[in-house]
Amino acid sequence: MAHFGLCEVGVDIIRRAHAVQPVTALQSEYSLWWREPEAEILPLLEDLGIGFVPFSPLGKGFLTGTIQSADDAAGKNAAIFPRFNDDTLAHHQGLVDAVAAVASRHRCTPGQVALAWIIARLPYASPIPGTSKAERATENSRAADVHLTQADVAELDEISAKFQVDPVRYPEHMQRWVNR
């Protein structure tokens, strides 16, 4: 096997796997709304030369501004996740507002800013925003054309640090699968 990747594992499994066969990439959730991998996982990936494939870089749609209440998430996959209750969404609206402000300055969409932030911070990352619509895929691909300034990145870093979602990301039966 020439290349292989891992998904949603912690540093111990990454180290053990990499000792047996070099790991090519790790897939894990990462966004302005969920930066937990920065503590231990991203430094390890950088040290070992492992690529990063962040999923849910748009916060399951929250960072685009399209989900403002639990009703907006109803009927979507996002509805099963604990963070999509009205209290969390209302409390974290300031992050969405900040992303929208940066998007306005760059004449792009909030989703493009959320993706451009990852691209600017982690050149070895390949974010994978999920979508079922061709126009959203095209829009997301244009994030590579959004060039955030160092000030933009610092602003987004600072504001997002104030709005990190609860570490319990999944319903209980799913949370047990995550090796953190």
Side-chain angles (χ1 to χ4, degrees):
M1 177 180 340
H3 305 282
F4 86 101
L6 300 168
C7 182
E8 287 279 73
V9 297
V11 295
D12 292 339
I13 289 181
I14 295 167
R15 286 183 197 282
R16 286 186 8 228
H18 196 69
V20 174
Q21 166 76 29
V23 176
T24 302
L26 173 74
Q27 182 180 16
S28 187
E29 182 173 356
Y30 183 70
S31 71
L32 282 160
W33 205 24
W34 175 257
R35 294 173 57 184
E36 184 260 5
E38 292 175 4
E40 295 180 343
I41 291 173
L42 293 181
L44 179 63
L45 297 182
E46 291 173 15
D47 185 48
L48 297 176
I50 298 171
F52 186 50
V53 183
F55 69 81
S56 295
L58 304 178
K60 297 182 179 16
F62 179 66
L63 296 171
T64 67
T66 59
I67 298 176
Q68 297 178 357
S69 71
D71 287 343
D72 294 337
K76 298 179 183 176
N77 289 337
I80 69 166
F81 301 106
R83 67 181 77 167
F84 287 95
N85 65 60
D86 285 331
D87 290 340
T88 300
L89 295 174
H91 177 72
H92 290 234
Q93 188 59 43
L95 176 57
V96 175
D97 295 343
V99 172
V102 173
S104 179
R105 289 196 306 263
H106 284 273
R107 300 182 198 282
C108 65
T109 67
Q112 289 169 331
V113 166
L115 293 167
W117 173 82
I118 293 173
I119 293 166
R121 293 184 88 247
L122 306 173
Y124 57 90
S126 298
I128 51 172
T131 184
S132 59
K133 298 179 180 154
E135 63 270 13
R136 290 289 173 250
T138 299
E139 174 186 316
N140 292 339
S141 72
R142 292 190 180 124
D145 299 326
V146 177
H147 301 288
L148 299 177
T149 65
Q150 289 180 349
D152 293 328
V153 172
E155 175 186 347
L156 291 167
D157 283 349
E158 182 179 336
I159 194 86
S160 73
K162 298 175 186 175
F163 292 101
Q164 290 301 290
V165 75
D166 188 318
V168 177
R169 297 178 287 150
Y170 300 111
E172 185 178 331
H173 72 283
M174 292 174 68
Q175 188 69 29
R176 284 180 269 162
W177 301 338
V178 179
N179 177 27
R180 287 276 199 284

